[in-house]
Amino acid sequence: MGGLDGLVKSAGIIEHSEIATLTEEALLRKIQTNLLGPIRLTQNAMALISGGGAIVFLSSTLADRPIKSSAVYSATIGVIDSFMSAMAVDG
């Protein structure tokens, strides 16, 4: 016992809003949940995952194909997609 076999990240928040009316609070909530949360989870999981473990992130098509009023969500998910690609290169 002890350690961690893997991590699956599937949570995130999307709150459709136009950039012109986006509040600072809403922006920070999206960044903290969709961007900083997964990075911190990965940091903590890597300290506990032993050989053969895995980290899996579920993404969204909105990272590559945004829709109206999804700019911040799409951006945060796109950054996380890049983060996971970089983590794969790092091993």
Side-chain angles (χ1 to χ4, degrees):
M1 299 294 286
L4 184 67
D5 293 325
L7 167 71
V8 176
K9 183 281 220 197
S10 65
I13 57 171
I14 182 169
E15 300 168 328
H16 294 281
S17 57
E18 300 293 328
I19 290 296
T21 59
L22 182 67
T23 66
E24 183 77 7
E25 179 183 335
L27 175 62
L28 292 175
R29 184 172 50 251
K30 292 174 190 182
I31 291 171
Q32 289 169 349
T33 302
N34 298 343
L35 180 59
L36 298 179
I39 291 171
R40 295 290 187 229
L41 280 172
T42 301
Q43 286 178 311
N44 290 324
M46 290 185 71
L48 300 172
I49 290 179
S50 57
I55 298 175
V56 177
F57 277 28
L58 302 180
S59 188
S60 170
T61 59
L62 294 179
D64 297 317
R65 291 179 298 231
I67 60 173
K68 183 175 175 61
S69 72
S70 73
V72 174
Y73 175 80
S74 297
T76 59
I77 299 306
V79 170
I80 287 298
D81 286 354
S82 293
F83 171 73
M84 288 309 297
S85 294
M87 290 301 301
V89 171
D90 287 349

